[in-house]
Amino acid sequence: MYALVIVDNPSPLVDMPFHYLIPDHLKDDIKIGTRVMVPFGNSKEPIDGIVTALSEECPGHVKRVKPIVRQIGSGPVLSEEMIDLAEWMRSEYLCTWFEALGCMMPAGTKSSPNSQKPGKYRLWVRRARENPEKPLPKNAARMRAVMSFLEQEALDEVCCSTLIQETGCSLQTLRALEGRGLLEIYDRRVLRAPELMTGLVNDRVERLSTSQKDALEAIRGMRDGGTGQVLLHGITGSGKTEVYLRLIGDTLKAGKKAIVLVPEISLTPQMVEWYHRRFGARAALIHSRLSDGEKYDQWEGIKKGRYDVAIGARSAVFAPFEDIGLIIIDEEHEHTYKSESSPRYVTHSVAAKRCRYHGGLLVLGSATPSIETYHWATEGDIGFVQLKERVGGGVLPTVEVVDMREELKEGNRSVFSTRLAERVTTALKNKGQTILFLNRRGYSTVVSCRNCGSVVKCKKCDISLTYHRRENSLICHYCGYRRRPPTRCEVCGSDRIRHLGSGTEKLEKAVEDGFEGARVLRMDMDTTRKKGAHYDILKAFRNQEADILLGTQMVAKGLDFPGVTLVGVILADFTLNVPDFRASERTFQLLTQVSGRAGRGSQPGKVVIQTYNPGHYSIEAAKNHDYEGFYEQEIEIRRKFGYPPFERLINIIVSGEDQREVADGASTFYKVLKERLGALKGQQYELYGPSQAMHSKIKNRYRWQIIIKAPALEGITEKVRETRFGLLKGPLRGLSVIADVDPYSFS
Ligand code: ADP
Ligand code: ZN
Ligand code: ZN
């Protein structure tokens, strides 16, 4: 018997399963997914590997088959599902086996359990195995509430504090139930759960609204009827989270597991808090800031059945559950669901693949679904459910669009239009809170010479530097390079240097100068570097300790603060002027999402959007809360130009330190690729380039670009892999070639 093993080595040159002999004494232990030590190449010590297949035979060309040295651990570390998934990712996203398997075995899996700190202990409750027949006394409402909570939520075990929080009972109630033989209370080691931000959400929801109920029933119907994937399109504040929670409840009752994906844990503390409150210690929280030991605990806990729900950013899609009933992708339009390092997977596709394997349901939720998802929903490829009203009879805010060209004509050079200034003043007077959104950090975004027009750029990147006032430095937002601002132009020597464009730092100053006495908080990458800073800002704002919260897209998403009555968008044009076919979509989504932060309490909300493009359809549609209108226009453009969802793309970036070599390398790549693609019979595709990438130099590396566009990528991805592999070994040695399938970024 032979095992095919992927060895622990990142080189694309060894990106294939190698044959090893299974020695007799390991015959019963070696299975697909087992970790093994194997001899490899010239290495003196055996190296780590994963068995991906078993075979009776060994092909003739393999000359000397070596035996597996030993097994690591007991039993397979990866299921066969995961091995299949890795193989699929490799062919779909042009990554190596090593990279794909790396997603499934987080860094922590390799660290030895001995290196871990001992856990703390906490009180837990479980229902007694034998239920005594003795009925509860009539006046024991609290006791009844506890028992019916456990019943309803299908919880066998729960942390005392969760139970107390959820039912309003006391520890005494629980002890009384213990005394009656209904519950058992015991100590349990607490796993190192990652820090959680709490105290940011309202009380628990008692009753679903009619539209929530209808949506929930519709999704249940689809699920039970065998629909594998559903879009839940619900306007901002329509209460989607509560629908998700009930679906998870169903899943657990059926004895299956659920995965909940959120765009970014630190940006969505409220969502995470909801889930954690409801599922407490049965929920694993997975995110990138966990230590290796914590990652190990979570992964191991899931494998051992300690958790029923995994909550996390995109990497949680790989949670090693063996029986998945449900995966939810919340805010499914967010770009964080696309991985920007290899494997460059789209979370939706991985989730869909896993749900198909397990017969589970995939729910995609958003107020502003991606054009692709909405297209599939309206075409009937996936289920489609809508929530058209805000909960509690709330209404969407009224949106005003201000033409900043008119403001300039009238001599207003401030970042505030007259209208927005009026609205802020009124909100302050009425004690309403305001969110101001500006998609640029720093003080001024461009420093240029009035005499010759030259712009101060980064030494290592082809990107203009941003002025940061507090540090009095020019900083590159790509590579972090910093320098003193020049007093004279370095091109012509003129001293007429000017600062253009506003970032959040300048906005903060403008607010302080313009609205005396207003209490202001700023939230952007610069103010949230310190651990916990992000949480402190949100908590202070939620507790009404500030009147105005301003910041970058961090303030645009997911926040649910009832005190907010006004949202101001300082300049809508930043996302619009990007050369990317998704620019309009992105603008519409951001404007709709940020507007959705207003008017979530009893007071109706107002939104002011400032722009130099007031007539643009993405801005008009956002103003009218008209998702469908926006979609109709956008989908026609996609159809006309052959963009997703009608065609698929591969973005290929060739980069290196020598400008000439990169340019030559890109054109060699293009020629060889064209030849190879030519061999595909009957396959439609278009090839663009090679051309300089939009950011032609980043971190001292020059960048060229080739784009493939095709109705289907079957066969094409493999040709790209062959081309890349062949050339990197030969003429393109020393250069880097990235091939991004279904890219979200073209810069
Ligand atoms: P969405 O994600 O659709 O924007 P959320 O799920 O954040 O909306 O819900 C918005 C707010 O409404 C939350 O504060 C939530 O607690 C509250 N909420 C949700 N459902 C109900 C309900 N049935 N009754 C009362 N409040 C609710
Ligand atoms: Zn100059
Ligand atoms: Zn730079």
Side-chain angles (χ1 to χ4, degrees):
M1 206 51 176
Y2 299 92
L4 284 92
V5 174
I6 296 295
V7 293
D8 191 4
N9 182 319
S11 165
L13 300 176
V14 299
D15 178 32
M16 63 196 86
F18 290 93
H19 281 80
Y20 286 91
L21 193 68
I22 305 178
D24 271 350
H25 70 280
L26 288 177
K27 230 174 44 222
D28 298 332
D29 299 329
I30 305 295
K31 304 205 169 62
I32 291 179
T34 306
R35 255 177 88 193
V36 289
M37 298 298 282
V38 291
F40 192 75
N42 300 329
S43 143
K44 282 203 193 89
E45 298 293 321
I47 67 171
D48 218 309
I50 294 273
V51 177
T52 58
L54 300 172
S55 161
E56 297 283 351
E57 285 147 42
C58 184
H61 66 83
V62 181
K63 281 181 218 101
R64 212 161 46 87
V65 189
K66 296 176 198 164
I68 290 174
V69 177
R70 63 183 172 89
Q71 175 191 13
I72 309 178
S74 59
V77 283
L78 292 178
S79 63
E80 290 193 28
E81 182 214 351
M82 289 310 207
I83 302 286
D84 284 352
L85 188 63
E87 186 169 21
W88 171 81
M89 282 172 73
R90 179 177 177 272
S91 64
E92 185 77 4
Y93 297 111
L94 285 168
C95 61
T96 60
W97 271 103
F98 177 84
E99 288 165 333
L101 292 171
C103 295
M104 294 151 195
M105 307 206 323
T109 34
K110 286 191 181 166
S111 64
S112 99
N114 300 340
S115 64
Q116 294 166 36
K117 297 166 277 177
K120 294 198 287 285
Y121 287 84
R122 245 161 83 182
L123 281 184
W124 274 65
V125 177
R126 72 174 153 239
R127 279 186 284 184
R129 306 225 181 280
E130 271 140 48
N131 254 347
E133 298 291 287
K134 234 180 14 187
L136 290 171
K138 276 211 170 58
N139 57 354
R142 283 275 152 77
M143 291 194 197
R144 225 166 257 127
V146 170
M147 295 315 288
S148 81
F149 177 81
L150 292 173
E151 183 68 34
Q152 266 173 25
E153 305 283 334
L155 293 172
D156 298 322
E157 277 187 292
V158 60
C159 180
C160 282
S161 63
T162 312
L163 204 49
I164 289 169
Q165 201 172 29
E166 288 293 320
T167 63
C169 73
S170 63
L171 188 58
Q172 257 169 333
T173 319
L174 299 180
R175 290 281 179 209
L177 284 164
E178 188 187 28
R180 293 178 161 264
L182 285 163
L183 295 180
E184 290 169 27
I185 300 181
Y186 55 97
D187 272 338
R188 182 166 153 170
R189 186 167 83 90
V190 186
L191 296 167
R192 275 163 288 154
E195 85 228 64
L196 193 67
M197 305 195 232
T198 54
L200 292 171
V201 301
N202 299 337
D203 298 334
R204 124 169 238 260
V205 170
E206 296 292 338
R207 218 178 294 134
L208 292 186
S209 70
T210 314
S211 13
Q212 281 173 318
K213 245 186 251 155
D214 292 347
L216 179 62
E217 285 315 319
I219 297 175
R220 282 176 172 158
M222 290 176 182
R223 176 193 67 201
D224 299 341
T227 302
Q229 201 168 331
V230 176
L231 165 63
L232 174 58
H233 177 211
I235 62 169
T236 54
S238 58
K240 295 183 283 296
T241 315
E242 203 49 44
V243 175
Y244 303 148
L245 288 166
R246 309 279 161 140
L247 288 170
I248 300 169
D250 289 359
T251 308
L252 303 198
K253 260 187 212 154
K256 297 185 175 174
K257 315 292 181 189
I259 299 176
V260 183
L261 302 173
V262 297
E264 211 177 311
I265 291 276
S266 65
L267 289 187
T268 49
Q270 287 177 310
M271 292 185 207
V272 175
E273 188 178 351
W274 274 121
Y275 296 113
H276 213 268
R277 256 209 210 174
R278 195 67 62 89
F279 303 106
R282 301 173 81 198
L285 196 55
I286 300 175
H287 63 86
S288 56
R289 286 206 213 162
L290 295 184
S291 70
D292 282 359
E294 286 167 335
K295 279 185 186 147
Y296 181 85
D297 276 357
Q298 304 276 322
W299 188 86
E300 180 79 1
I302 290 171
K303 277 196 87 78
K304 293 241 164 93
R306 270 198 290 267
Y307 299 114
D308 300 320
V309 185
I311 303 160
R314 73 172 173 260
S315 65
V317 77
F318 298 105
F321 287 126
E322 308 242 310
D323 190 5
I324 296 174
L326 176 70
I327 300 182
I328 290 165
I329 303 188
D330 196 9
E331 308 290 352
E332 70 88 30
H333 63 279
E334 285 290 344
H335 288 194
T336 50
Y337 288 121
K338 164 78 178 178
S339 165
E340 292 297 351
S341 62
S342 196
R344 297 182 154 73
Y345 62 90
V346 178
T347 308
H348 303 51
S349 306
V350 176
K353 178 110 182 126
R354 293 204 74 187
C355 280
R356 268 200 302 280
Y357 181 92
H358 292 277
L361 175 72
L362 173 59
V363 176
L364 308 172
S366 176
T368 52
S370 69
I371 295 293
E372 287 93 324
T373 301
Y374 198 78
H375 179 71
W376 293 317
T378 51
E379 293 284 295
D381 296 343
I382 64 175
F384 187 22
V385 175
Q386 286 183 296
L387 272 172
K388 295 185 170 176
E389 288 157 27
R390 280 191 158 183
V391 283
V395 288
L396 287 171
T398 50
V399 183
E400 297 169 277
V401 174
V402 175
D403 186 346
M404 291 307 272
R405 294 170 304 190
E406 296 297 321
E407 298 291 314
L408 276 184
K409 267 191 217 151
E410 281 161 26
N412 178 9
R413 309 196 142 266
S414 135
V415 294
F416 288 102
S417 60
T418 312
R419 175 41 58 96
L420 181 54
E422 285 167 5
R423 291 276 180 230
V424 174
T425 311
T426 310
L428 286 169
K429 205 168 75 213
N430 297 338
K431 305 257 180 294
Q433 287 182 297
T434 296
I435 289 180
L436 297 176
F437 166 57
L438 176 59
N439 212 3
R440 282 285 186 280
R441 63 191 174 94
Y443 196 80
S444 41
T445 51
V446 178
V447 178
S448 73
C449 167
R450 273 176 203 277
N451 188 41
C452 73
S454 66
V455 169
V456 186
K457 287 192 173 182
C458 176
K459 225 168 49 180
K460 302 180 193 166
C461 311
D462 183 33
I463 292 194
S464 59
L465 294 172
T466 300
Y467 177 58
H468 286 245
R469 191 158 171 268
R470 186 166 311 164
E471 300 167 56
N472 190 30
S473 300
L474 296 179
I475 302 180
C476 173
H477 286 180
Y478 270 77
C479 72
Y481 166 81
R482 57 184 67 212
R483 54 163 290 179
R484 292 276 137 208
T487 46
R488 287 185 169 279
C489 173
E490 283 156 6
V491 177
C492 73
S494 156
D495 60 0
R496 294 169 61 216
I497 302 285
R498 69 174 162 179
H499 287 225
L500 296 170
S502 312
T504 44
E505 204 185 358
K506 186 147 142 196
L507 177 61
E508 183 181 28
K509 181 150 192 313
V511 172
E512 283 163 358
D513 294 349
F515 306 98
E516 219 173 291
R519 298 165 303 166
V520 187
L521 291 167
R522 168 158 71 96
M523 189 161 76
D524 56 29
M525 236 161 70
D526 299 312
T527 63
T528 53
R529 255 179 247 280
K530 265 216 320 264
K531 202 171 167 178
H534 185 264
Y535 173 67
D536 292 342
I537 294 172
L538 290 180
K539 184 107 186 177
F541 193 59
R542 178 171 177 90
N543 293 344
Q544 309 264 349
E545 288 159 26
D547 307 302
I548 298 177
L549 171 67
L550 69 88
T552 53
Q553 60 263 50
M554 285 184 186
V555 303
K557 297 169 187 177
L559 300 180
D560 182 42
F561 293 146
V564 176
T565 55
L566 174 66
V567 164
V569 177
I570 302 300
L571 197 57
D573 308 40
F574 279 129
T575 45
L576 212 49
N577 298 332
V578 176
D580 181 328
F581 76 90
R582 287 195 181 89
S584 307
E585 179 184 3
R586 192 90 197 100
T587 305
F588 173 77
Q589 286 166 342
L590 259 173
L591 294 178
T592 305
Q593 291 291 346
V594 72
S595 302
R597 303 313 111 204
R600 287 177 161 248
S602 49
Q603 298 292 313
K606 291 217 178 310
V607 177
V608 178
I609 297 175
Q610 306 188 143
T611 175
Y612 291 100
N613 277 293
H616 194 280
Y617 66 99
S618 63
I619 293 176
E620 290 249 298
K623 171 175 151 73
N624 299 322
H625 308 295
D626 184 12
Y627 180 87
E628 262 129 75
F630 173 75
Y631 171 78
E632 294 301 335
Q633 297 209 35
E634 185 64 21
I635 197 75
E636 280 322 309
I637 296 173
R638 302 283 180 94
R639 199 191 306 274
K640 186 165 157 207
F641 293 102
Y643 282 124
F646 301 103
E647 299 202 19
R648 294 180 70 187
L649 302 165
I650 304 180
N651 184 28
I652 300 169
I653 299 269
V654 179
S655 70
E657 287 178 8
D658 186 277
Q659 195 163 2
R660 189 61 204 255
E661 247 175 63
V662 174
D664 291 348
S667 77
T668 307
F669 196 98
Y670 178 86
K671 266 188 236 128
V672 175
L673 180 62
K674 195 166 176 187
E675 226 163 79
R676 282 179 190 262
L677 289 178
L680 288 173
K681 292 278 173 294
Q683 181 73 291
Q684 269 185 54
Y685 62 87
E686 281 166 84
L687 206 52
Y688 301 90
S691 57
Q692 257 185 25
M694 181 172 85
H695 294 317
S696 61
K697 184 179 153 197
I698 291 179
K699 296 185 189 168
N700 275 335
R701 296 180 74 84
Y702 294 89
R703 308 167 79 246
W704 282 66
Q705 183 172 40
I706 296 164
I707 293 177
I708 306 174
K709 198 162 90 178
L713 293 179
E714 275 73 47
I716 293 179
T717 36
E718 204 42 46
K719 294 291 172 202
V720 175
R721 184 199 300 280
E722 286 167 17
T723 308
R724 175 168 179 261
F725 187 73
L727 291 178
L728 282 178
K729 272 200 298 189
L732 266 67
R733 195 180 315 221
L735 297 181
S736 137
V737 179
I738 285 171
D740 188 1
V741 179
D742 299 332
Y744 277 41
S745 149
F746 294 89
S747 50

